[in-house]
Amino acid sequence: MITTEPVITVKNMVKKFGNFVANDNLNFEVYKGEIFGFIGANGAGKTTAIRILCGLSTPTSGEMKVGGFDIYRQTEKIKQNIGYMSQKFSLYEDLTINENIRFYGGIYGMKIADRKVRTEKMLERLELTEYRNRKIGDLPLGWKQKLAFSIAILHNPKIVFLDEPTGGVDPITRRQFWNLIYEAVEQGITVFVTTHYMDEAEYCDRVSIMAEGRIVALDTPERLKKQYSANNMDEVFLKIAR
Amino acid sequence: MNRFLAFLRKEFYHIFRDPRTLVILFGIPIAQLLLFGFVLTNEVRNVKIAVVDHSKDYLSIRLTERLLSSGFFQLAALPKSESEYEGLFRSSKVKEIVVFEPDFARKLIKEGKAGIQVIADASEPNAAQLVVNYTTAIANGFVKDEFTKDQKVPGINIKVRMLFNEDMRDAYNFIPGLIAVILMLISAMMTAITITREKETGTMEILLASPLKPIQIILGKVVPYLILSIINALVVLLLGYFVFEVPIIGNLALLLGEILLFIFLALSLGILISTFANSQLTALAMSGFVLMLPSILLSGFIFPVKNMPVPLQIVANLMPPRWFIEINRTVMLKGGGIETIWPNTVILLGMSVIFILISIRKFKIRLQ
Amino acid sequence: MIEVKDLHKQYGDIVALDKVSLTVGRGELFGLIGPDGAGKTSLMRILMSLLLPDGGTATMNELDVVKDYKEVRLITGYMPGRFSLYPDLTVEENLKFFATVFGTTIQENYYLIKDIYQQIEPFKNRRAGKLSGGMKQKLALSCALIHKPEILILDEPTTGVDAVSRKEFWEMLKRLKSMGITILVSTPYMDEASMCDRIALIQQGRLMSVATPHEMIESFPEDLWAVHTRKIYETSKHLEKLSSTLSVNSFGQVLHLVTSKGVHSAESIQKYLLEKGELEITIEPSSATIEDVFILLMNHHKHLK
């Protein structure tokens, strides 16, 4: 259910590393219940922006609110209300599925009964129940990614940030992954996702295209395609870049 | 050859463009040296001494005056018999006792040689050594001045006795030991790190896939650090000599030769480590545990090997620095020549050959 | 020419390459397409003589990659999966270094890299670590080409690079191909398949199919329908329950429905969806993409297991 109630507001976000401007005056809002996509090449500033919004990095300047909390003063509150899954796989390879879940449930202070119920549901959904005592390191990449996502939303956060969750994943798993995202949205979670895959851009409700630290376009895929009279997002991207 | 030079140039770019490398290369040795230096040295000024003059002739009196007027020493006692010596030291009334043998002047002029015994309190070994050195220097200067017109300058035979710590552990020894530690650090650790860095950046994959031979890659990595290690060793020697007045009594060429041998050994150890480690961090940790700690703790740098329990002595004997520090001390402080240190040299040579053989065997021409 | 026969590679229990056989002709631009962990990198590393196979043989221009590895390394150019240049060296220093390592000079083979290198030459004094993704990739390609290799092995050169640079990169590969260089390139992006002369679809260490992209699409054995709907998720749930449905997958805002050959018509599917209460829907027969082929083959192989 997409609303116009903003859960993330970003005003004039700037992040500099020395002379290098990673984020150059970003302005956008993410609405409650939508899938918001960040598209762009490596080094366009996507990961930097996500890290700031997750409270992992301090911006150089700008005003930002995530889930109604201020990015400078309420980072702890923000962290309680978001889930985060990074580009690199973020579970412990040497722990089992179960141990990883217990660990993450613990960090987010989930009630044990609550965690157990949700864990069962999640493992069943992923068809991983019988593998719960397997070490993460022994799982295929696609499984790991799906599991990492499910664990990132186990504590039912308001917003989940996904940094290139499907990089290098096979086409079937990629779609299964997106189905998981849709299911999360149905639960009322807002999804903020970055990707390289242009077809995935079309799965988003709104996309912002980033290049060299700036947002060069932001709209629904539908309207972007119309605006640039393109057949798909790939063409939109090429036309914007040229 | 061209390939090799290109490799060298690249290595130097790496070194000079990374401030951290430069700090490790040059900052740490100097910092360590100064640190050890300040902790261990004491200023020699108005050190209390006792004089026992068994001859009381004009030369012994003049030398005593020269000692006392130097500003370094201050007369605190004139003991009558040897039985008083220990009491004087124990009560810290004096730090040194100078004993002139009977007939000092006559022996010096007629026989060209006379004896002084210098007894020092070696419970503070470094200070004791310094005091003795100052005394020796003043005595030697004294005869030179007295006999300038003579063709043959007589010599004073100075017999040093260290009380309470006859072996003089620690004193001065930090410079020879420090050279070993620094060379281990620079040569081995830096080589290991620089090779593993290429594994981390993925460039090793390209180097391996190129026509470069393993030996070229290894030499290309080693030569820059060989040069830097030699510079470092010289810096430490010079600082030791000029700032802390640690003498180099033995043959300088021999000393440098042994240092070169040790550098070679350390470099081969570094390569060996890099064949095991896949990341800079692992290389650093391995160097720390395998090289740094043993070369400080088990090498005789701080704790004398012969005082260690037997199992530790055995381990210590496997540590290259243990043999090298002994060489250094012998050559620098005792003036020993190759005739006394050849067993150590052979051991170091043997270790180097073993390390380099293993590294070349283990250095893979492929990944995995 | 690259000839691979029954190549096998295993890491512990994990089979990275399962009896892979493949021939890449001289001057061919050959694409190896598959997800991470499919075995692309293992295959390329074996060809570059960086890994030893556990079984089977591979030759590069008749040189055995195990026995004649030194010669193999001389005639091939290689771009490993991640950025593998010296970030603290400038663009020019990197290029010069690799030229010298291969016993040549930038001038000698400049004609070969001219088109590519000219684009980054204005930044030749910039440290390689400070280049953008697209420029890094061009520099890496220049470095791999500088010794005038007969064969180029490129491991995911376009991953993480922006769409414009990706496009330019494929143009460059076509030009290199026209100079007679044999090129083996891997990519996880299915849409890049059409740029290759021939492609191999690889999954879990096995080649599922080897053909030209055109053949692959033409020989798609089932019926494929493009379904336009406003409610992707719901519609796909309904379509999954349709008799003889083999798969339903979203491609952007369009659903690709695969049904057994000759069972359905656009009208029969429309009718089925109408019964389910889906009104605003258009259905048309569509030709497959490489991704459709890949998904079909993956499902097929799953069933075989």
Side-chain angles (χ1 to χ4, degrees):
Chain A
M1 182 57 201
I2 303 170
T3 60
T4 48
E5 177 196 339
V7 283
I8 300 177
T9 39
V10 173
K11 275 183 197 154
N12 310 320
M13 182 204 273
V14 176
K15 176 74 180 179
K16 289 182 188 168
F17 297 103
N19 286 327
F20 177 70
V21 184
N23 288 150
D24 189 359
N25 204 24
L26 304 189
N27 286 288
F28 61 87
E29 282 183 337
V30 177
Y31 303 129
K32 190 169 184 295
E34 76 172 337
I35 303 176
F36 186 85
F38 247 31
I39 317 291
N42 282 358
K46 304 186 307 263
T47 300
T48 312
I50 274 205
R51 290 212 168 138
I52 291 174
L53 294 177
C54 289
L56 298 175
S57 152
T58 326
T60 309
S61 65
E63 267 176 62
M64 283 134 271
K65 276 191 171 173
V66 174
F69 300 110
D70 184 87
I71 203 96
Y72 296 98
R73 282 175 282 117
Q74 295 170 298
T75 38
E76 295 314 311
K77 287 253 171 61
I78 290 176
K79 286 178 187 174
Q80 272 295 335
N81 284 286
I82 61 166
Y84 174 65
M85 175 190 162
S86 84
Q87 200 163 17
K88 281 180 197 145
F89 179 68
S90 49
L91 300 178
Y92 294 96
E93 297 267 311
D94 53 342
L95 298 186
T96 64
I97 295 182
N98 240 353
E99 288 161 349
N100 267 292
I101 296 175
R102 271 218 303 274
F103 173 71
Y104 281 97
I107 324 187
Y108 285 103
M110 289 174 68
K111 291 199 185 81
I112 292 174
D114 190 29
R115 187 194 75 214
K116 280 190 174 155
V117 173
R118 288 174 153 268
T119 303
E120 290 312 316
K121 229 168 103 187
M122 172 189 108
L123 290 178
E124 205 172 300
R125 165 67 185 85
L126 297 176
E127 294 166 28
L128 284 176
T129 313
E130 53 181 310
Y131 302 107
R132 60 194 311 159
N133 292 318
R134 282 249 196 123
K135 287 211 178 100
I136 298 290
D138 299 337
L139 301 178
L141 176 76
W143 290 21
K144 287 184 195 172
Q145 300 295 81
K146 286 189 277 183
L147 189 65
F149 173 71
S150 304
I151 291 180
I153 57 166
L154 193 68
H155 62 293
N156 201 17
K158 280 189 190 165
I159 308 157
V160 63
F161 291 90
L162 309 172
D163 194 2
E164 278 175 33
T166 54
V169 172
D170 70 71
I172 294 182
T173 312
R174 216 145 62 79
R175 288 177 173 78
Q176 291 169 345
F177 195 95
W178 273 92
N179 284 338
L180 289 178
I181 293 182
Y182 288 133
E183 285 166 28
V185 170
E186 276 178 16
Q187 284 175 41
I189 297 176
T190 307
V191 178
F192 190 115
V193 59
T194 72
T195 178
H196 290 329
Y197 292 97
M198 285 303 160
D199 60 330
E200 290 188 350
E202 305 207 15
Y203 303 155
C204 301
D205 295 310
R206 286 191 307 145
V207 232
S208 77
I209 298 178
M210 284 196 79
E212 288 164 24
R214 276 190 294 263
I215 292 179
V216 288
L218 197 172
D219 214 329
T220 65
E222 210 63 42
R223 262 181 258 156
L224 284 174
K225 280 189 278 183
K226 217 169 268 168
Q227 185 187 342
Y228 292 93
S229 42
N231 290 318
N232 52 42
M233 287 305 290
D234 211 20
E235 285 177 24
V236 171
F237 194 90
L238 286 177
K239 281 188 174 155
I240 289 176
R242 287 248 158 96
Chain B
M1 199 57 207
N2 227 342
R3 285 178 192 176
F4 184 65
L5 286 180
F7 208 111
L8 279 192
R9 186 173 339 114
K10 171 187 85 78
E11 285 310 311
F12 278 109
Y13 284 144
H14 289 322
I15 293 167
F16 291 117
R17 283 180 189 174
D18 183 11
R20 281 173 309 173
T21 312
L22 280 178
V23 167
I24 295 180
L25 278 175
F26 294 104
I28 290 185
I30 292 171
Q32 272 191 335
L33 187 68
L34 295 179
L35 208 68
F36 275 100
F38 282 123
V39 171
L40 292 176
T41 53
N42 288 312
E43 210 184 343
V44 178
R45 191 151 293 274
N46 293 330
V47 174
K48 289 175 183 147
I49 61 167
V51 175
V52 181
D53 194 342
H54 291 299
S55 48
K56 295 223 169 69
D57 52 38
Y58 77 103
L59 281 180
S60 71
I61 291 169
R62 291 248 293 271
L63 178 49
T64 307
E65 280 169 0
R66 172 77 77 102
L67 283 173
L68 296 178
S69 63
S70 66
F72 301 123
F73 304 108
Q74 183 185 333
L75 190 63
L78 289 162
K80 302 254 164 354
S81 77
E82 252 180 80
S83 59
E84 289 174 45
Y85 294 178
E86 207 174 312
L88 284 172
F89 283 129
R90 288 231 182 271
S91 59
S92 284
K93 286 215 174 82
V94 301
K95 292 277 173 205
E96 184 188 58
I97 300 174
V98 181
V99 185
F100 290 90
E101 69 170 345
D103 283 343
F104 183 75
R106 194 184 60 80
K107 279 187 181 161
L108 201 59
I109 294 162
K110 290 269 159 66
E111 295 171 21
K113 213 177 210 178
I116 301 178
Q117 192 188 21
V118 176
I119 308 165
D121 174 4
S123 56
E124 286 175 54
N126 206 53
Q129 184 68 57
L130 271 178
V131 168
V132 170
N133 280 357
Y134 276 73
T135 314
T136 313
I138 292 172
N140 285 334
F142 170 75
V143 277
K144 262 188 205 144
D145 292 349
E146 286 293 321
F147 296 88
T148 39
K149 284 166 196 123
D150 297 51
Q151 278 195 317
K152 218 176 113 203
V153 177
I156 294 185
N157 187 12
I158 296 173
K159 260 173 71 188
V160 176
R161 225 183 107 197
M162 293 290 180
L163 276 188
F164 310 118
N165 182 3
E166 309 253 330
D167 276 0
M168 281 295 294
R169 286 276 155 218
D170 290 10
Y172 270 158
N173 292 348
F174 81 92
I175 290 282
L178 201 58
I179 293 178
V181 173
I182 287 171
L183 291 183
M184 266 293 169
L185 178 81
I186 304 304
S187 316
M189 191 183 274
M190 295 307 288
T191 324
I193 288 179
T194 174
I195 295 181
T196 45
R197 183 188 300 163
E198 299 240 9
K199 292 191 192 175
E200 259 179 33
T201 52
T203 40
M204 190 54 91
E205 206 169 325
I206 297 194
L207 292 184
L208 287 178
S210 80
L212 280 174
K213 295 187 188 77
I215 187 74
Q216 284 175 313
I217 298 178
I218 290 182
L219 280 181
K221 284 285 173 192
V222 157
V223 170
Y225 289 96
L226 180 72
I227 296 170
L228 291 168
S229 301
I230 293 173
I231 294 176
N232 255 306
L234 290 178
V235 167
V236 174
L237 275 182
L238 288 174
L239 275 178
Y241 188 78
F242 286 109
V243 179
F244 300 108
E245 301 183 25
V246 175
I248 301 167
I249 296 169
N251 186 329
L252 187 65
L254 175 65
L255 182 67
L256 293 180
E258 296 283 350
I259 287 178
L260 210 61
L261 171 63
F262 186 68
I263 292 175
F264 181 66
L265 187 148
L267 291 173
S268 21
L269 245 181
I271 301 166
L272 191 60
I273 289 176
S274 75
T275 61
F276 291 105
N278 275 321
S279 70
Q280 294 185 62
L281 206 66
T282 328
L284 198 71
M286 284 175 80
S287 315
F289 285 112
V290 179
L291 305 176
M292 287 305 292
L293 288 179
S295 67
I296 291 176
L297 300 177
L298 291 176
S299 62
F301 176 39
I302 293 179
F303 308 113
V305 175
K306 71 175 185 194
N307 295 355
M308 289 176 192
V310 175
L312 270 187
Q313 279 195 35
I314 295 171
V315 180
N317 282 340
L318 295 173
M319 301 292 150
R322 178 222 181 290
W323 304 104
F324 177 64
I325 291 179
E326 216 167 81
I327 291 178
N328 255 352
R329 286 178 178 157
T330 311
V331 178
M332 284 178 73
L333 304 179
K334 296 180 190 155
I338 189 75
E339 67 281 353
T340 49
I341 54 166
W342 69 266
N344 297 45
T345 312
V346 169
I347 290 171
L348 289 185
L349 258 173
M351 285 178 164
S352 316
V353 170
I354 292 170
F355 287 146
I356 201 80
L357 282 183
I358 305 178
S359 341
I360 290 181
R361 274 191 71 95
K362 282 225 52 161
F363 193 89
K364 294 158 204 121
I365 51 161
R366 301 173 204 280
L367 296 167
Q368 212 182 30
Chain C
M1 186 158 101
I2 306 172
E3 276 188 294
V4 174
K5 231 179 148 190
D6 293 331
L7 214 52
H8 193 81
K9 180 74 193 173
Q10 212 162 337
Y11 305 100
D13 287 345
I14 299 163
V15 179
L17 291 175
D18 189 3
K19 297 237 166 66
V20 168
S21 297
L22 181 71
T23 307
V24 179
R26 203 174 282 265
E28 190 173 20
L29 174 51
F30 192 97
L32 207 50
I33 296 178
D36 286 4
K40 305 189 299 280
T41 301
S42 294
L43 175 57
M44 293 188 152
R45 284 184 170 166
I46 289 174
L47 292 177
M48 281 316 296
S49 77
L50 290 169
L51 280 183
L52 288 174
D54 295 326
T57 56
T59 59
M60 306 263 275
N61 283 359
E62 279 85 49
L63 296 166
D64 188 275
V65 296
V66 179
K67 272 184 288 165
D68 313 315
Y69 72 93
K70 284 183 184 157
E71 289 81 359
V72 167
R73 290 173 183 191
L74 271 174
I75 60 155
T76 42
Y78 177 46
M79 246 176 96
R82 49 195 174 141
F83 175 67
S84 304
L85 297 170
Y86 297 100
D88 53 342
L89 262 52
T90 66
V91 169
E92 199 179 19
E93 285 162 358
N94 265 296
L95 190 60
K96 217 166 152 186
F97 173 70
F98 285 106
T100 325
V101 159
F102 279 92
T104 180
T105 58
I106 298 180
Q107 290 73 33
E108 201 176 318
N109 294 320
Y110 188 74
Y111 72 98
L112 201 58
I113 58 163
K114 194 176 154 219
D115 287 338
I116 307 160
Y117 189 60
Q118 266 179 350
Q119 302 173 39
I120 45 173
E121 217 165 6
F123 311 100
K124 66 180 180 185
N125 292 321
R126 191 181 286 189
R127 303 251 172 108
K130 296 202 165 160
L131 296 176
S132 74
M135 289 203 283
K136 276 180 184 166
Q137 175 207 41
K138 281 169 196 154
L139 175 59
L141 183 61
S142 303
C143 289
L145 276 172
I146 193 63
H147 61 290
K148 204 186 170 196
E150 296 165 25
I151 300 175
L152 259 186
I153 306 265
L154 312 171
D155 193 359
E156 296 203 8
T158 53
T159 297
V161 176
D162 67 90
V164 179
S165 298
R166 270 169 60 184
K167 221 176 159 138
E168 284 173 0
F169 194 82
W170 282 100
E171 298 300 324
M172 288 177 227
L173 292 190
K174 287 204 164 153
R175 272 201 299 277
L176 291 172
K177 183 202 127 167
S178 69
M179 294 180 190
I181 299 177
T182 307
I183 304 173
L184 177 66
V185 55
S186 71
T187 176
Y189 301 111
M190 309 274 158
D191 55 343
E192 290 182 341
S194 60
M195 307 297 223
C196 305
D197 296 333
R198 281 195 309 146
I199 52 172
L201 302 185
I202 183 169
Q203 165 78 355
Q204 291 179 333
R206 279 189 297 178
L207 298 188
M208 299 189 297
S209 174
V210 181
T212 67
H214 186 70
E215 281 166 4
M216 243 180 228
I217 288 165
E218 284 300 298
S219 62
F220 193 77
E222 317 291 353
D223 286 336
L224 195 142
W225 314 93
V227 181
H228 298 263
T229 169
R230 294 203 159 266
K231 295 175 282 184
I232 289 202
Y233 188 66
E234 275 174 40
T235 311
S236 70
K237 286 279 167 247
H238 289 310
L239 287 172
E240 272 168 19
K241 292 188 194 106
L242 177 69
S243 62
S244 78
T245 288
L246 296 170
S247 69
V248 186
N249 286 294
S250 49
F251 280 69
Q253 299 292 66
V254 183
L255 283 174
H256 279 196
L257 167 70
V258 180
T259 56
S260 302
K261 188 98 191 155
V263 176
H264 284 289
S265 62
E267 289 73 30
S268 69
I269 301 167
Q270 184 107 43
K271 197 171 148 234
Y272 166 81
L273 286 174
L274 266 173
E275 282 165 17
K276 299 283 172 192
E278 303 251 358
L279 304 170
E280 287 176 86
I281 279 171
T282 53
I283 299 173
E284 57 199 9
S286 168
S287 61
T289 65
I290 294 296
E291 200 157 351
D292 289 305
V293 177
F294 199 97
I295 291 171
L296 186 83
L297 289 171
M298 258 184 90
N299 283 331
H300 182 61
H301 279 265
K302 243 183 222 162
H303 290 307
L304 284 184
K305 277 189 175 176

